[in-house]
Amino acid sequence: MPERSPDAALFDKVVNLCKRRGFVFPSAEIYGGFRSTYDYGPIGVLLLRNVKDAWWRSMVQLRDDIVGLDAAILSPPAVWEASGHLATFSDPLVDCRHCGTRHRQDELDDPDVCPTCGTRGSFTEPRQFNLMFKTHAGPVEDDASVAYLRPETAQGIFVNFANVVNTSRKRPPFGIAQIGKSFRNEITTGNFVFRTREFEQMEMEYFVPPGDGPRWFEYWCAERLRWYVDHGIPERLLRLRSHDPDELSHYSSGTSDVEFLFPWGWGELEGIAQRTDFDLTRHAEHSGEKLDWFDQASGTRYVPHVVEPAAGATRTMMAFLMAAYDEEEVRGETRTVLRLHHRLAPYKVAVLPLSKKAELTGPAREVLGRLQPRFMCDYDETQAIGRRYRRQDELGTPFCVTLDFESLEDEAVTVRDRDSMDQDRVAVEELVPYLEERLEP
Ligand code: GAP
């Protein structure tokens, strides 16, 4: 594991909270877990969905120059041959002849010393290990049935370029956005969901006239950095880092990463790359199809250049959790609260009757029924009210609505704000507009 900053305790607290409150569980846990794969529990699935929805909202819903796509995860070798992934999407591996452990050569502190047993000069010659998961489509496992699980969602966009152009009436500059699972047989996984073999990406390929690439690259770097700030990550925890030439992917002429200050140091959330005309040109060559654009105004035909903001949904979710985690002293006790942006909060409202008596739970369920069509709600009638508030604070729920015996008289409820803990008495009839006014869509 990389060196931890003094804030290492934060990492353990967030991982612990994720397990304890149902955000993230190790996959196949009852069988001892499975190789750095994770399942998203009842709360995590809501948070992850909200992260993806927030991205989709800003990329597709609020713009008229970007359309969506959902391409297949399985694809034939021809796609990866053309994209260059079969030839170059690999890491150098070495084996220690002394203890038998395997390592990524480019991650070793000393390329001559095994970090497991300390032996010098025991490594085999490096060999390239392709990170793509290979499988077979159909009942026969032969060369003709080989398929790959996509290691990035981007290629599904490039191979659909002509389909989208022919059906969507978009013209450069325009983009195609996609959210979905990607798979990489990573040699080194770790830091919880930061690097896993199965993960979700949120990628957008923006097609522009040749020559306009650098301008749009600047635009998307600024735009994407702003998205994280707008969704609650403080600027001091974010930075843009430009890749050194020897770091660049095989398709990129320039890349900047949006990085987040994780407890162990700066880590990538998103790469913004100038993919030039590399992908469309390669797919046109390999498939024999025309993947270009005829500009009627100038009477010229060109292969658009691509600027790609490519983010990880699962990794970004983790950054939002780390940034939102807070502890404060309240009347001599520590209160843990997730100060998540309202748009990302798993539940927007929790309905909490003060007592389990039917006298109160009946009306509480009626209030719940009013709120559910508008907001994702939780309902909880167990334990003392203070403990229920603490639980909702840990889930990041912006508002708790409490019904007490007085509610039966005045037809009003108490609304408690997660961050300030201030309480308002609100008429049941006014509750939906009250919450709508305070919760951003
Ligand atoms: N299409 C370009 C592309 O895939 P990338 O930098 O390899 O670029 C984009 O991946 C984002 O996907 C990363 O910034 C990261 O957030 C996420 N990502 C990549 N590999 C990951 C892994 N093994 N586990 C979790 N997230 C990953």
Side-chain angles (χ1 to χ4, degrees), residues 392-413:
Q392 294 301 333
D393 288 343
E394 286 197 341
L395 303 185
T397 309
F399 294 103
C400 288
V401 169
T402 305
L403 273 92
D404 49 28
F405 288 100
E406 224 180 294
S407 305
L408 303 177
E409 308 294 322
D410 66 0
E411 299 197 358
V413 291

Side-chain angles (χ1 to χ4, degrees), residues 140-253:
V140 183
E141 290 197 9
D142 60 9
D143 286 352
S145 66
V146 166
Y148 291 93
L149 271 63
R150 64 183 179 199
E152 61 169 13
T153 63
Q155 295 306 321
I157 295 177
F158 296 126
V159 299
N160 275 294
F161 173 78
N163 285 334
V164 174
V165 164
N166 292 336
T167 54
S168 70
R169 302 195 171 177
K170 298 293 171 203
R171 55 176 56 224
F174 82 98
I176 305 176
Q178 177 167 219
I179 298 176
K181 288 237 170 167
S182 290
F183 303 82
R184 294 180 191 179
N185 199 0
E186 301 277 5
I187 298 158
T188 323
T189 54
N191 284 338
F192 196 40
V193 297
F194 181 80
R195 181 168 288 110
T196 51
R197 297 197 169 92
E198 176 178 346
F199 54 96
E200 272 190 278
Q201 290 187 306
M202 309 184 289
E203 299 197 292
M204 195 274 290
E205 309 303 320
Y206 202 69
F207 301 92
V208 304
D212 285 1
R215 185 164 65 83
W216 283 107
F217 174 71
E218 296 303 323
Y219 169 85
W220 281 110
C221 284
E223 195 68 7
R224 292 302 305 146
L225 193 62
R226 194 167 59 83
W227 183 82
Y228 293 94
V229 176
D230 285 352
H231 287 87
I233 300 189
E235 278 178 65
R236 69 186 158 78
L237 298 180
L238 291 166
R239 73 174 186 192
L240 259 182
R241 188 186 65 83
S242 167
H243 279 210
D244 291 333
D246 62 349
E247 267 183 275
L248 291 174
S249 306
H250 60 275
Y251 49 73
S252 175
S253 70

Side-chain angles (χ1 to χ4, degrees), residues 302-355:
Y302 62 81
V303 179
H305 281 222
V306 169
V307 176
E308 173 199 63
T314 35
R315 197 179 274 190
T316 295
M317 185 198 90
M318 183 176 163
F320 280 124
L321 277 172
M322 300 262 166
Y325 187 94
D326 192 21
E327 287 177 355
E328 64 179 6
E329 279 300 293
V330 179
R331 287 183 289 278
E333 274 187 35
T334 303
R335 173 173 96 112
T336 300
V337 54
L338 281 186
R339 299 191 192 278
L340 287 166
H341 187 285
H342 288 180
R343 193 174 290 144
L344 303 180
Y347 294 120
K348 311 301 174 201
V349 191
V351 177
L352 314 172
L354 206 60
S355 138

